Structure formats: structure tokens, C-alpha cells
Amino acid sequence: MRDETQTNSAAPGDRLIRAGAIVFFAGAVATLVTVAPLLLGTTPFPAYMFGLSMLMGVGFLVAGAGVLRSVAAGRRQARSDTP
């Protein structure tokens, strides 16, 4: 029997998960760039760079919202398939 799910189909939360991962990694890079001068003993970056480090948390929350949306869609699908 052929599986009903196509390999190229996107689940409802996939875009949020991808966007969250991108924002998270951008925040991780900003954190590394911000911490490097502190470890090397050079002049630290301006305060807004520390704010960019908060993108890690924002990305984590966006990806988490995508996972929750995907789970909710899966539960709705399972309920509609049940007789």
C-alpha cells in the first residue's frame, strides 16, 4: 500500500521551525562575536550587540511555536482519520 504522505509536502509548522533555526544561529554567531573581544582583551562591542545575542532565545521560541503547530496539526489529522 502506498503511503499517503508525500516526501515533498510541508507540514504546517515547518516554515516556523526553519525560520527559528535561522534566527537561532544568527543569534549564536552574534553571541560569539560579542564574547570574543571580552576573551581577547580588546575593546568590547557596543551594547546593541548584546541585544543581538538575544536572537538565540527568539529563534528558540519561534522554532518551538513551529513544533507546537506541527503537533496540533498532527493531532487534528489523527482525530479526523478516526471513525
Side-chain angles (χ1 to χ4, degrees), residues 17-81:
I17 294 170
R18 287 184 187 139
I22 291 169
V23 172
F24 179 85
F25 286 119
V29 169
T31 300
L32 290 174
V33 169
T34 304
V35 172
L38 299 175
L39 297 174
L40 298 173
T42 61
T43 306
F45 285 104
Y48 71 86
M49 286 298 291
F50 292 100
L52 287 177
S53 298
M54 297 299 157
L55 287 176
M56 286 178 67
V58 172
F60 187 76
L61 288 175
V62 170
V67 168
L68 291 177
R69 186 172 179 195
S70 178
V71 168
R75 293 182 77 191
R76 267 184 264 136
Q77 179 70 28
R79 284 186 189 149
S80 66
D81 288 346

Side-chain angles (χ1 to χ4, degrees), residues 3-17:
D3 191 17
E4 294 178 13
T5 304
Q6 296 178 1
T7 56
N8 60 355
S9 64
D14 284 351
R15 288 186 182 155
L16 278 175
I17 294 170

